[in-house]
């Protein structure tokens, strides 16, 4: 019967019908009402824009925000070695890192959040290599705990203690800064850039996650944003001279060290999320690529800033050691800068030549070592 009906359909119409059928068979069903990109502005609220057919928001930042708060809490604890003039317990830091042993204050509800920092550290890498990064971070937990035993001692070459207001080890290296700045790359950027905004873009966008009103692709994008900032509009009201919102870690350094692109980050997150609604994979990838490139540039520029202007402007050994501590952490983070082709070998070679192969670490630094490290980063990142 169907065969007989097809005999009376013009060939051109038949081709169109069959083509339409093929498109419907392969295209991802669009769950939401399309969003006009032209209607998006730098101050368009994120959460209220993306809703389901009943008007309920499909945005859930909780996974990203909870990890962000864990990083903040861990940072507050290690910094208390200085602010509280006290010894640090490496076991507490490891519990905070892996979210075990109820390490966080009960009021934060982080202990029962179901997420942790350790599992997503270097999670774009193969398991064996990722574990090496996690072990590196944990070795610095031990280092800061050990150095904090000398918090009442004045540091000098070969002697851990306080150098000015900074806690350093016997090589003049500040483990607090190594932890803070290494996690910006190993934790925040790797998970945002190399996992959620790369592999994560292939996630399902046609069905809802069980028990939720968002798709896995929507959640991946929202989790990336939630790990960058706690603010509804990232850097809202910021200018080159003044940061308009309180930001922490990666979110802060993007503004400080990428003046050319920090203002593009929130609009890119907004447009990318709209592209998910519209099933527009080309636009989604374009916005993800913009965000990743901007973040990598900020991390590389931060490393150069602390090896160069910040170090040069420092007037004391304490200030110089602090600048180098920050720089070392950012150089470690460069191994995750895949857009620019950096890797662990690139990062490790700079770190070894700069300080780690020197018997006295910071105390053996020379202008040549600093300029060589800066030049290598500038060349790799075209800065």
């Amino acid at each position: 019967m169907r065969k007989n009906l097809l005999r009376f359909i013009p060939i051109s119409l038949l081709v169109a019908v069959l083509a339409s059928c093929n498109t419907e068979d392969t295209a991802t069903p669009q769950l939401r009402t399309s969003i006009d990109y032209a209607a998006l502005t730098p101050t368009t609220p994120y959460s209220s824009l993306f809703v389901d057919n009943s008007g309920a928001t499909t945005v859930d930042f909780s996974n990203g925000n909870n990890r962000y708060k864990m990083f903040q809490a861990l940072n507050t604890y290690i910094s208390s070695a200085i602010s509280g003039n006290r010894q640090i317990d490496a076991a507490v830091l490891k519990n905070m890192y892996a979210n075990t042993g109820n390490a966080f204050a009960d009021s934060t509800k982080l202990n029962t959040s179901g997420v942790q920092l350790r599992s997503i550290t270097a999670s774009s890498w193969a398991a064996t290599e990722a574990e090496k990064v996690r072990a590196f971070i944990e070795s610095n937990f031990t280092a800061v705990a050990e150095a904090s035993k000398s918090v009442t001692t004045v540091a000098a070459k070969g002697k851990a203690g306080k150098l000015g207001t900074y806690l350093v080890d016997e090589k003049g290296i500040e483990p607090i800064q190594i932890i803070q700045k290494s996690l910006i790359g190993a934790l925040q950027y790797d998970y945002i850039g190399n996992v959620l905004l790369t592999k994560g873009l292939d996630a399902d966008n046609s069905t809802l996650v069980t028990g939720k009103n968002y798709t896995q692709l929507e959640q991946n994008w929202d989790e990336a944003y939630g790990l960058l900032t706690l603010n509804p509009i990232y850097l809202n009201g910021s200018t080159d001279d003044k940061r308009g919102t309180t930001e922490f870690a990666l979110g802060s350094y993007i503004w400080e060290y990428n003046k050319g692109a920090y203002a593009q980050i929130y609009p890119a997150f907004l447009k990318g999320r709209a592209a998910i609604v519209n099933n527009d994979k080309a636009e989604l990838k374009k916005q993800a690529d913009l965000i990743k490139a901007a973040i990598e540039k900020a991390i590389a520029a931060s490393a150069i800033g602390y090896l160069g202007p910040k170090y040069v402007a420092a007037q004391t050994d304490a200030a110089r050691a602090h600048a180098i501590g920050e720089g070392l952490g950012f150089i470690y983070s460069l191994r995750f800068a895949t857009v620019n082709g950096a890797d662990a070998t690139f990062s490790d070679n700079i770190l070894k030549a700069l300080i780690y192969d020197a018997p006295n670490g910071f105390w053996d630094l020379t202008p040549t070592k600093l300029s060589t490290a800066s030049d290598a980063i500038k060349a790799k990142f075209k800065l």
Side-chain angles (χ1 to χ4, degrees):
M1 180 67 177
R2 184 173 182 270
K3 182 176 179 181
N4 289 335
L5 288 174
L6 291 176
R7 290 173 56 193
F8 299 101
I9 298 176
I11 294 299
S12 59
L13 178 58
L14 181 59
V15 170
V17 168
L18 292 175
S20 174
C21 290
N22 286 338
T23 300
E24 290 175 3
D25 287 344
T26 57
T28 301
Q30 186 169 327
L31 299 181
R32 323 292 186 195
T33 301
S34 293
I35 294 175
D36 182 1
Y37 296 130
L40 305 177
T41 75
T43 56
T44 299
Y46 190 113
S47 293
S48 62
L49 182 64
F50 306 112
V51 296
D52 63 17
N53 292 335
S54 69
T57 182
T58 60
V59 175
D60 184 347
F61 292 137
S62 58
N63 283 345
N65 280 175
N66 282 332
R67 286 191 168 108
Y68 181 108
K69 292 173 183 175
M70 288 176 177
F71 187 8
Q72 279 186 313
L74 187 150
N75 182 61
T76 298
Y77 180 62
I78 56 176
S79 299
S80 70
I82 297 297
S83 61
N85 214 35
R86 70 175 189 178
Q87 291 188 27
I88 296 299
D89 187 339
V92 172
L93 284 170
K94 288 183 179 179
N95 282 339
M96 296 175 89
Y97 189 44
N99 193 13
T100 55
N102 295 318
F104 300 100
D106 288 345
S107 60
T108 63
K109 302 187 184 305
L110 296 178
N111 296 323
T112 57
S113 64
V115 298
Q116 58 169 279
L117 303 179
R118 194 179 193 284
S119 64
I120 65 164
T121 300
S123 54
S124 73
W125 288 14
T128 302
E129 297 305 309
E131 197 58 34
K132 291 179 183 176
V133 177
R134 295 161 189 159
F136 169 79
I137 298 297
E138 290 174 332
S139 73
N140 278 282
F141 293 162
T142 303
V144 73
E146 187 63 28
S148 70
K149 294 176 182 176
S150 304
V151 72
T152 58
T153 302
V154 176
K157 184 186 293 186
K159 190 165 90 175
K162 254 185 175 176
L163 193 58
T165 56
Y166 307 112
L167 181 67
V168 300
D169 65 13
E170 68 280 4
K171 285 191 169 186
I173 296 172
E174 196 180 358
I176 292 174
Q177 291 303 322
I178 304 300
I179 294 167
Q180 288 175 349
K181 275 55 184 186
S182 295
L183 284 176
I184 284 177
L187 171 75
Q188 283 188 292
Y189 177 61
D190 187 58
Y191 195 53
I192 291 172
N194 297 327
V195 177
L196 296 173
L197 300 193
T198 300
K199 301 173 184 176
L201 300 187
D202 294 327
D204 179 26
N205 196 36
S206 61
T207 57
L208 301 182
V209 174
T210 302
K212 306 292 184 182
N213 66 340
Y214 51 69
T215 68
Q216 188 58 57
L217 180 56
E218 289 172 329
Q219 171 57 193
N220 288 351
W221 196 261
D222 295 343
E223 187 170 354
Y225 185 79
L227 185 55
L228 174 67
T229 182
L230 297 179
N231 289 301
I233 299 177
Y234 173 58
L235 294 179
N236 189 28
S238 295
T239 66
D240 288 1
D241 298 324
K242 182 181 178 181
R243 195 177 58 205
T245 55
T246 299
E247 305 292 348
F248 166 71
L250 178 60
S252 176
Y253 286 97
I254 290 173
W255 171 80
E256 186 172 352
Y257 280 97
N258 192 350
K259 296 299 186 189
Y262 72 81
Q264 299 172 22
I265 298 292
Y266 181 71
F269 266 105
L270 204 60
K271 195 167 186 178
R273 189 59 162 79
I276 293 173
V277 170
N278 296 343
N279 273 339
D280 185 349
K281 288 190 173 182
E283 188 62 44
L284 176 62
K285 185 177 184 305
K286 178 181 176 182
Q287 299 308 318
D289 288 347
L290 185 157
I291 293 167
K292 289 186 288 186
I295 292 177
E296 289 195 7
K297 184 175 181 180
I299 293 174
S302 298
I304 293 170
Y306 282 102
L307 295 180
K310 294 275 188 181
Y311 183 88
V312 171
Q315 299 296 311
T316 63
D317 280 342
R320 284 187 280 273
H322 182 61
I324 289 302
E326 299 211 46
L328 294 176
F330 280 118
I331 295 170
Y332 188 86
S333 286
L334 294 179
R335 68 193 61 220
F336 301 101
T338 55
V339 173
N340 288 277
D343 55 19
T345 300
F346 172 78
S347 172
D348 285 339
N349 286 343
I350 295 175
L351 291 171
K352 289 177 182 177
L354 185 65
I355 207 165
Y356 284 130
D357 280 349
N360 297 305
F362 160 75
W363 303 101
D364 289 342
L365 274 178
T366 64
T368 299
K369 287 183 178 180
L370 291 166
S371 61
T372 300
S374 291
D375 290 346
I377 298 168
K378 288 175 183 174
K380 172 66 76 176
F381 289 85
K382 300 178 176 59
L383 294 173

